[in-house]
């Protein structure tokens, strides 16, 4: 029932978006400026600027943080100097957080152009299928965000991944602090490792896991929108390893490089 209700709402929103886009002459592509009708990215730029080689997801990337490498080293200079992702088995950021990607993130997260959730979910599905992912654990929002704003971009993304693409979403993490990560400097973010996140109560965890068995899965994919220092991913991975999950692979839409 929840799935049907969510998909009906999505269909209604999509129809309204099409109508208003038609009335207003459509969207402008944030990359090339051409008319793109529904999404703020045209089909051509989507194919060229947002292409992901699912046959070699980790090729040419830092083996630790997943950043694209320019040289022949296996790790980027940041990871060689300061290895943060100790509990994270792999990290795969899809796109660099600059130029049009920053604008898309602003439109999605701040301007609430929620049609982008559908676009990002479609891209993520390609990647998650290539990873043979089954269980997805979202990085939770700060306390009170959904009640205050009415939605959270990662939560909506996970609803799409669950109800449209069939992934198992385990919302077993909670955020213990309400301070926005973007207001912290690098040192402040790193100090949050091991402190900012925890698992939900045992009763709530049992309720979430019940449809899939009574124990934690052996392998999960941790999902976030933007990776800045890696502290959020590492904080969550540390908690997940402590409760017995053997393998934590992380995916983010963007990475600050």
């Amino acid at each position: 029932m929840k799935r049907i209700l969510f998909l009906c709402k999505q269909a209604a929103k999509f129809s309204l978006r099409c109508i208003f886009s038609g009335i207003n002459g459509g969207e402008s592509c944030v990359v090339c400026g051409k008319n793109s009708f529904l999404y703020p990215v045209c089909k051509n730029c989507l194919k060229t600027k947002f292409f992901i080689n699912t046959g070699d997801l980790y090729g040419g990337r830092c083996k630790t943080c997943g950043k694209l490498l320019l040289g022949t080293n296996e790790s980027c200079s940041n990871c060689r100097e300061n290895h943060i992702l100790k509990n994270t088995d792999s990290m795969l950021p899809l796109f660099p957080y600059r130029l049009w990607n920053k604008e898309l993130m602003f439109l999605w997260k701040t301007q609430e152009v929620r049609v982008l959730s559908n676009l990002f979910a479609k891209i993520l599905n390609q990647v998650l299928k290539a990873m043979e992912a089954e269980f997805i654990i979202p990085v939770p929002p700060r306390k009170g965000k959904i009640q205050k704003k009415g939605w959270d971009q990662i939560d909506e993304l996970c609803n799409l991944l669950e109800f449209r693409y069939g992934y198992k979403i385990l919302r077993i993490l909670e955020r213990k602090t309400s301070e926005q990560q973007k207001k912290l400097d690098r040192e402040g973010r790193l100090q949050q490792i091991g402190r900012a996140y925890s698992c939900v109560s045992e009763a709530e965890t049992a309720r979430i896991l019940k449809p899939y068995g009574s124990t934690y899965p052996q392998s999960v994919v941790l999902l976030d929108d933007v990776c800045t220092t890696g502290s959020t991913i590492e904080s969550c991975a540390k908690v997940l390893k402590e409760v017995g999950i053997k393998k934590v692979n992380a995916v983010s839409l963007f990475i600050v490089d």
Side-chain angles (χ1 to χ4, degrees):
M1 180 60 70
K2 187 177 179 182
R3 177 177 182 271
I4 294 172
L5 182 61
F6 176 81
L7 292 177
C8 286
K9 286 182 177 179
Q10 287 292 310
K13 289 178 183 177
F14 186 83
S15 298
L16 287 172
R17 181 79 178 178
C18 289
I19 292 171
F20 285 120
S21 291
I23 293 173
N24 297 325
E27 296 284 342
S28 295
C29 177
V30 298
V31 182
C32 67
K34 294 181 180 178
N35 185 278
S36 56
F37 182 57
L38 184 62
Y39 297 107
V41 183
C42 68
K43 290 183 178 180
N44 182 62
C45 289
L46 189 60
K47 290 179 181 179
T48 57
K49 305 300 183 182
F50 294 88
F51 171 77
I52 297 173
N53 182 6
T54 54
D56 187 17
L57 288 173
Y58 297 94
R61 295 176 177 271
C62 172
K63 66 179 183 180
T64 303
C65 72
K67 287 181 182 178
L68 289 170
L69 298 172
L70 297 177
T72 57
N73 291 316
E74 292 186 348
S75 299
C76 67
S77 58
N78 285 339
C79 290
R80 291 198 300 270
E81 295 169 5
N82 187 14
H83 186 176
I84 295 172
L85 301 175
K86 298 176 182 179
N87 291 282
T88 309
D89 293 283
S90 72
M91 177 67 201
L92 181 63
L94 304 186
F95 309 107
Y97 187 58
R98 43 186 157 89
L99 301 174
W100 48 80
N101 291 331
K102 291 185 72 173
E103 186 171 349
L104 283 176
M105 188 63 175
F106 175 77
L107 290 172
W108 185 39
K109 190 173 181 178
T110 305
Q111 298 293 98
E112 299 189 14
V113 180
R114 293 171 65 170
V115 70
L116 283 168
S117 299
N118 297 279
L119 178 62
F120 292 142
K122 184 177 181 180
I123 293 172
L124 277 168
N125 177 50
Q126 299 173 20
V127 173
L128 295 171
K129 281 178 65 176
M131 294 174 67
E132 298 183 349
E134 183 179 7
F135 293 95
I136 312 297
I137 297 181
V139 170
R142 66 183 184 276
K143 290 183 178 181
K145 179 184 177 182
I146 294 180
Q147 289 80 358
K148 183 179 180 180
K149 296 191 66 176
W151 81 300
D152 172 68
Q153 69 275 9
I154 294 299
D155 183 68
E156 182 164 272
L157 203 54
C158 284
N159 282 332
L160 286 162
L161 291 173
E162 179 179 15
F163 298 133
R164 182 172 294 173
Y165 297 106
Y167 296 96
K168 298 169 183 175
I169 308 299
L170 305 181
R171 293 177 174 85
I172 60 173
L173 291 174
E174 64 180 355
R175 189 165 170 175
K176 297 191 288 185
T177 61
S178 57
E179 187 174 11
Q180 291 181 289
Q181 286 286 91
K182 66 182 181 181
K183 294 183 178 179
L184 299 175
D185 59 15
R186 178 180 175 82
E187 188 61 31
R189 288 171 183 257
L190 296 180
Q191 288 176 1
Q192 294 289 310
I193 295 178
R195 301 178 184 177
Y197 299 90
S198 64
C199 277
V200 297
S201 67
E202 290 185 9
E204 180 65 7
T205 298
R207 184 192 68 80
I208 293 170
L209 292 176
K210 187 177 180 179
Y212 314 116
S214 58
T215 59
Y216 291 102
Q218 294 292 299
S219 177
V220 300
V221 172
L222 185 61
L223 179 64
D224 203 1
D225 51 4
V226 179
C227 177
T228 303
T229 62
S231 61
T232 294
I233 292 293
E234 179 59 16
S235 292
C236 293
K238 186 175 187 294
V239 172
L240 297 176
K241 287 290 182 74
E242 287 174 349
V243 299
I245 294 175
K246 302 296 183 184
K247 192 171 185 179
V248 179
N249 299 311
V251 174
S252 69
L253 287 170
F254 305 107
I255 188 168
V256 177
D257 57 0

